Amino acid sequence: MSKTSEVAVMNGKEIYKRLLVYVKPYWKAFVFAIVGMAIVASTEVGFAALIKPMLDGTFVERDPFYLTFIPVALIGIFVIRGVGSFAVSYCMAWVGRNVIRDLREQMFDSLLRLPTAYYDKSPSGKLISKLIYDVEQVSDAASRALTILVQDTLILFGLLGWMFYLNWQLTLLFLIIGPLLSGMVVFINKRLRLINKRLQDSVGDVTHVAQEAIDGQRVIKTFGGQTYERDRFEIANQQNRRQFMKIIVTNATAVPVVQLVASCLLAAIVYLASRPDMQDSITVGTFMSFIAAVLMLFPPLKRLTTINAVLQRGIVAAQSVFEFLDAKKEVNNGNEILDSVSGKIEYRNVEFQYDEESNKVIDNFNLQIAPGETVAFVGRSGSGKTTLVNLIPRFYNTSAGQILIDDVDTQTVKLNSLRQNIALVSQDITLFNDTIARNIAYGAMSDATDEQVIKAAEAAHAMEFIRDLPEGLNTIVGEKGMMLSGGQRQRLAIARAILKDAKILILDEATSALDSESERHIQIALDELMKNRTTLVVAHRLSTIENADKIVVLDSGKVIEVGTHNELIEKKSAYASLHNMQFGET
Ligand SMILES: Nc1ncnc2c1ncn2[C@@H]1O[C@H](COP(=O)(O)OP(=O)(O)OP(=O)(O)O)[C@@H](O)[C@H]1O
Ligand SMILES: [Mg+2]
């Protein structure tokens, strides 16, 4: 326990330093806020100080000056206080919201540059909760907690100073019991930090389970996964409640106990001050002003204990945010630009494993693809077809060996430039919740004209169904394209690839969701499209690849045969038996 919390404290300091970097651009507002805090604190002390002349001057001595001065001063104090606290609220919120915006911007930027492997490992719920929830928590620490820490510390010292001025003996008594209070605060502090870490994890778990249930609702329905999902959710939900309750219990116990100790202190002060030897030096005004100061110390003390919950939550959240910002980005240290490539591709002794511990998915793979050639990858599910084509746009980097495009090692090429030359229709189609036109003319192609989009959609045989939609190309496709059928989604993805008009085309099961009729139509379009570009096709339906220049048969990431359809059929080996299975020939 002590060891881990020491590490956390160290990190805590570093985190504050790093957060300050984000606050720095807004330091002027920050200074205004601090000035506001000083104003609020001084009015607090001023109010306690005003009690002495109010009682001694007004009620005891009936001094005419004080009779008018005190009421005016009272109003004045609260006017100044109002101005100060407005400045604090406004400026701190301004700084806080700006820091949130900056952090989110950086995080989103970081998100876009993460390697595919990072996404494989992190559930999207966790990533989203970092971006939404954790960042808010950080701002809480940056503004609310800080307001209380600075302002209340100022009030604390101001009031203590005033108390010393009034009577040092009574103040000393207060200072002896005071550390007891702060000791308790430190203890609570440590405990809250621990629980908060667990709370944050449990929030991520709840989001994650819920998200999976939402995304997978069809699978849950058809496979009767309700009980399993409900159990999973219940565990996460329970854990979340438990962690929240722990925080509440810690807070709810801490506050009354601290107050009890404080009331004992007050009793001791009253007892001491009323002893005969003290009575001469203490006027009614002095005593009441002193008591007022002690009483006014409680709220800031109380806030200083409760604020730890927010502060600690902020540290944990900031840690999570900074960890995310520091996550390794996609390796992009090549400088070469691939301009007007011919489309020659070479796999040279390529090895690949997803994890250092896991087995090689691709093992010593060699293949040369001439410009304009169509190469088909076939093989059992899990044999590494998708993996092989994913290596070309460097979604993953080879563990050993090279992939060359036009004899240039892709490792030495700028990622942007590399990917500009590749159009991809992947096994799982991605559509954005936007219009059909904007899904086809996505990203760098967004300035395509309507004619170009329609032409691409025609070629992909997508216009047929798009015309039937009420809004045509301007129809919103819904989240992940849910409003469309699987085949329609695939045709949009093909249209997108057609529009990109890149030299290298990758089709990973691009027509698997289509019926034979549509597939034949698209095949004609695809054949046209493949004509003067290098195409890598992955297909289970062998009928679609019979015309390929080369068919590469894979097994466990290794090439077992290469040849044209006719050559391989004649060889009567792996491909031929696959073919026979699909077509029932002997
Ligand atoms: N993101 C990943 N992380 C770890 N392992 C993976 C990942 N993706 C695939 N694998 C593993 O790599 C192997 C090859 O997968 P790959 O997706 O390349 O197969 P495939 O030939 O495309 O199969 P299919 O025909 O079913 O699409 C499989 O054993 C799979 O378990
Ligand atoms: Mg695959």
Side-chain angles (χ1 to χ4, degrees):
M1 157 90 195
S2 69
K3 203 172 177 188
T4 52
S5 66
E6 258 168 37
V7 172
V9 170
M10 275 274 295
N11 283 344
K13 264 186 200 155
E14 282 165 20
I15 283 166
Y16 280 130
K17 266 194 201 150
R18 219 171 141 176
L19 266 180
L20 275 181
V21 176
Y22 286 88
V23 176
K24 216 172 161 193
Y26 311 107
W27 68 272
K28 279 182 190 154
F30 202 66
V31 169
F32 270 111
I34 302 279
V35 171
M37 290 177 199
I39 291 173
V40 172
S42 62
T43 56
E44 195 92 342
V45 179
F47 183 73
L50 201 64
I51 291 182
K52 184 173 155 62
M54 179 156 65
L55 292 181
D56 290 345
T58 316
F59 293 109
V60 181
E61 289 159 22
R62 307 207 66 79
D63 183 328
F65 170 71
Y66 283 119
L67 286 175
T68 48
F69 170 75
I70 296 290
V72 172
L74 262 175
I75 294 169
I77 279 182
F78 279 91
V79 168
I80 296 169
R81 189 192 163 88
V83 172
S85 75
F86 178 84
V88 173
S89 303
Y90 185 86
C91 294
M92 287 313 286
W94 194 77
V95 173
R97 297 322 297 186
N98 273 302
V99 168
I100 287 184
R101 188 206 46 210
D102 293 352
L103 273 174
R104 281 212 178 118
E105 200 173 285
Q106 277 199 10
M107 286 174 83
F108 197 75
D109 203 51
S110 168
L111 189 80
L112 295 176
R113 291 190 295 132
L114 287 172
T116 310
Y118 188 95
Y119 289 96
D120 291 348
K121 291 199 188 86
S122 328
S124 60
K126 279 232 161 99
L127 292 182
I128 290 169
S129 112
K130 272 182 203 287
L131 195 71
I132 307 299
Y133 180 79
D134 291 357
V135 178
E136 292 283 342
Q137 295 294 330
V138 171
S139 137
D140 253 2
S143 37
R144 198 154 70 89
L146 209 70
T147 308
I148 293 173
L149 274 179
V150 174
Q151 188 172 300
D152 288 331
T153 311
L154 284 177
I155 294 175
L156 206 74
F157 282 107
L159 287 175
L160 275 176
W162 174 247
M163 282 157 64
F164 256 111
Y165 169 76
L166 286 177
N167 188 300
W168 63 269
Q169 295 99 323
L170 290 183
T171 312
L172 271 186
L173 174 76
F174 178 81
L175 285 181
I176 290 164
I177 306 179
L180 196 71
L181 288 168
S182 61
M184 289 161 74
V185 174
V186 169
F187 174 78
I188 297 158
N189 196 342
K190 271 189 180 164
R191 184 165 161 73
L192 282 173
R193 182 180 298 202
L194 193 75
I195 309 170
N196 268 308
K197 169 95 183 97
R198 290 190 207 137
L199 175 66
Q200 219 115 82
D201 288 345
S202 76
V203 171
D205 287 342
V206 171
T207 325
H208 168 58
V209 175
Q211 180 140 25
E212 276 200 348
I214 293 164
D215 292 347
Q217 53 108 356
R218 283 167 218 272
V219 179
I220 294 172
K221 279 183 186 140
T222 37
F223 291 91
Q226 288 90 345
T227 317
Y228 173 72
E229 293 299 332
R230 202 176 292 126
D231 290 348
R232 229 157 60 104
F233 189 77
E234 195 179 303
I235 293 170
N237 203 16
Q238 268 290 6
Q239 178 68 3
N240 180 256
R241 182 196 62 87
R242 214 171 282 142
Q243 298 307 333
F244 248 111
M245 283 317 292
K246 275 191 187 167
I247 289 186
I248 301 295
V249 168
T250 311
N251 265 330
T253 326
V255 174
V257 170
V258 168
Q259 284 176 343
L260 179 69
V261 175
S263 67
C264 295
L265 170 67
L266 190 62
I269 290 172
V270 174
Y271 176 74
L272 259 190
S274 55
R275 290 179 65 82
D277 49 330
M278 280 276 195
Q279 261 172 354
D280 296 338
S281 61
I282 298 181
T283 65
V284 176
T286 307
F287 181 73
M288 284 316 290
S289 182
F290 189 89
I291 290 296
V294 170
L295 288 175
M296 285 167 73
L297 272 175
F298 290 157
L301 266 180
K302 185 182 157 195
R303 281 197 294 268
L304 280 165
T305 58
T306 56
I307 198 58
N308 282 305
V310 182
L311 200 60
Q312 298 311 316
R313 217 182 286 167
I315 290 182
V316 176
Q319 208 158 7
S320 137
V321 167
F322 289 143
E323 264 169 26
F324 177 80
L325 283 175
D326 293 343
K328 266 216 178 90
K329 303 297 177 310
E330 264 186 315
V331 184
N332 188 10
N333 40 22
N335 288 316
E336 301 253 7
I337 304 288
L338 281 183
D339 243 351
S340 60
V341 294
S342 70
K344 181 180 171 197
I345 302 176
E346 183 184 349
Y347 286 89
R348 196 180 281 171
N349 305 324
V350 172
E351 287 183 10
F352 179 73
Q353 50 204 131
Y354 279 100
D355 258 315
E356 266 160 40
E357 306 88 51
S358 65
N359 291 333
K360 282 181 197 163
V361 177
I362 304 297
D363 195 3
N364 195 26
F365 184 85
N366 283 287
L367 185 69
Q368 297 207 6
I369 305 170
E373 251 187 344
T374 298
V375 173
F377 292 111
V378 299
R380 282 183 299 146
S381 180
S383 54
K385 305 180 293 293
T386 299
T387 309
L388 262 182
V389 295
N390 277 343
L391 291 175
I392 293 186
R394 282 180 53 200
F395 292 151
Y396 303 93
N397 287 305
T398 54
S399 314
Q402 293 118 30
I403 293 176
L404 301 100
I405 292 180
D406 280 18
D407 300 313
V408 182
D409 185 348
T410 51
Q411 289 289 338
T412 65
V413 178
K414 268 207 166 103
L415 276 180
N416 266 347
S417 169
L418 172 68
R419 290 170 182 172
Q420 250 159 30
N421 288 290
I422 302 167
L424 165 83
V425 181
S426 61
Q427 201 165 6
D428 33 70
I429 307 289
T430 305
L431 293 178
F432 299 91
N433 193 4
D434 204 336
T435 64
I436 289 184
R438 270 193 286 256
N439 264 294
I440 295 175
Y442 178 73
M445 306 182 290
S446 56
D447 49 1
T449 63
D450 280 359
E451 289 82 64
Q452 287 173 311
V453 173
I454 292 170
K455 213 174 142 210
E458 291 282 9
H461 286 258
M463 257 346 257
E464 298 156 16
F465 79 85
I466 296 173
R467 277 203 196 90
D468 289 342
L469 294 169
E471 314 241 5
L473 279 169
N474 295 321
T475 310
I476 305 271
V477 300
E479 202 178 344
K480 293 180 185 163
M482 278 305 168
M483 322 269 268
L484 303 173
S485 75
Q488 291 171 336
R489 285 204 287 272
Q490 251 177 0
R491 279 183 271 175
L492 289 191
I494 292 170
R496 186 191 283 163
I498 291 174
L499 184 63
K500 184 160 181 190
D501 191 27
K503 251 317 185 233
I504 297 169
L505 180 64
I506 299 175
L507 305 170
D508 189 354
E509 303 281 2
T511 53
S512 61
L514 300 175
D515 58 279
S516 315
E517 169 86 18
S518 323
E519 187 170 36
R520 206 168 42 241
H521 277 308
I522 293 186
Q523 200 59 50
I524 299 165
L526 287 178
D527 286 344
E528 193 63 33
L529 182 69
M530 289 174 189
K531 257 185 193 149
N532 37 28
R533 45 196 109 225
T534 310
T535 313
L536 285 80
V537 190
V538 177
H540 278 293
R541 243 186 278 175
L542 300 182
S543 58
T544 56
I545 53 156
E546 281 175 6
N547 296 326
D549 298 303
K550 245 182 225 162
I551 294 172
V552 180
V553 186
L554 289 170
D555 191 45
S556 314
K558 283 199 178 109
V559 183
I560 51 173
E561 3 177 78
V562 183
T564 62
H565 173 75
N566 289 336
E567 285 167 11
L568 292 178
I569 290 288
E570 260 164 42
K571 262 200 196 161
K572 289 193 184 346
S573 47
Y575 176 78
S577 56
L578 264 175
H579 195 267
N580 287 347
M581 256 194 289
Q582 282 192 13
F583 295 94
E585 295 162 11
T586 45

